[in-house]
Amino acid sequence: QCTFDSLINNDITVMYGKAGSGKTTLPLAYIMNGLESQKFRKLYIIHHYETLRGAKTLGFEKGDHETKLLSTGSLGNILSSKFEDYKYITSLLGDRIEIIPTANIRGAEFGEQDVVFGTEMQDVDVYTMKTIIQRCKAGCKQIYEGDIIEQTDKSMSMSGMSRMIDVFKGY
């Protein structure tokens, strides 16, 4: 109930919690409804693809940019677990969805009828989080989620989500 209250009434919503708490599913349901009803013009999924601390990468991967983002990182798994297949959501929404890695956030601009959904943002640093927020025009719906307690590789003082919670507390 608190999540939907914030999603409906606030320009910025930040959710954190353990795996399985609904921090991805609830906003995606809200966003899909908003896209279908024309409340939102476009969905931008901001994805932090930094590898898990100590994990090995696969190295070079064939394919276009979107295929690499969706099949080699956690984002494809996230979308596939919420929809039948990540290809379903991208085919359904066409050009109304765009995936932007945090590394490519410079130069991006999000309009007043857009929704920005930052998923797995627990390891985004303060500078990157601030840059994402600055790219949003007034009225842009911003939703950020991550597990800053159990799944973070950063200290709380380095976490952009933790800093954002401190800055916007009470608003």
Side-chain angles (χ1 to χ4, degrees):
Q1 192 173 11
C2 290
T3 297
F4 279 108
D5 179 65
S6 183
L7 290 170
I8 292 165
N9 296 307
N10 298 322
D11 284 341
I12 299 176
T13 297
V14 180
M15 296 173 294
Y16 67 92
K18 295 181 179 184
S21 63
K23 62 188 179 293
T24 306
T25 303
L26 294 174
L28 281 175
Y30 171 77
I31 291 166
M32 291 302 292
N33 181 271
L35 287 166
E36 289 172 1
S37 68
Q38 305 294 317
K39 178 179 181 175
F40 302 125
R41 181 186 70 89
K42 189 167 183 174
L43 164 62
Y44 293 94
I45 298 177
I46 307 298
H47 179 61
H48 189 60
Y49 60 71
E50 186 173 318
T51 59
L52 194 63
R53 180 179 55 215
K56 302 284 185 208
T57 63
L58 295 174
F60 176 77
E61 288 288 323
K62 291 183 180 180
D64 62 21
H65 183 67
E66 184 177 281
T67 301
K68 288 178 184 181
L69 285 174
L70 293 171
S71 63
T72 62
S74 62
L75 185 58
N77 295 335
I78 291 166
L79 293 177
S80 291
S81 70
K82 308 309 176 211
F83 304 97
E84 290 178 29
D85 184 346
Y86 66 78
K87 293 176 185 169
Y88 167 76
I89 190 172
T90 55
S91 67
L92 178 71
L93 298 174
D95 63 351
R96 297 185 67 208
I97 183 172
E98 188 173 333
I99 299 167
I100 303 176
T102 52
N104 298 351
I105 204 67
R106 284 194 176 128
E109 188 174 287
F110 312 114
E112 59 187 28
Q113 292 182 303
D114 296 334
V115 59
V116 170
F117 179 53
T119 183
E120 296 289 333
M121 300 296 279
Q122 64 267 9
D123 287 326
V124 171
D125 61 56
V126 174
Y127 174 75
T128 302
M129 186 65 77
K130 184 177 175 181
T131 304
I132 294 167
I133 294 168
Q134 290 173 339
R135 299 289 174 189
C136 297
K137 291 186 175 183
C140 176
K141 181 69 76 172
Q142 300 175 60
I143 306 165
Y144 304 98
E145 64 87 1
D147 184 348
I148 59 174
I149 305 299
E150 294 185 4
Q151 292 186 20
T152 185
D153 292 336
K154 294 201 180 302
S155 70
M156 292 296 265
S157 65
M158 301 291 289
S159 167
M161 274 188 68
S162 295
R163 178 72 178 130
M164 189 161 85
I165 291 167
D166 287 342
V167 168
F168 291 107
K169 194 178 293 181
Y171 295 97

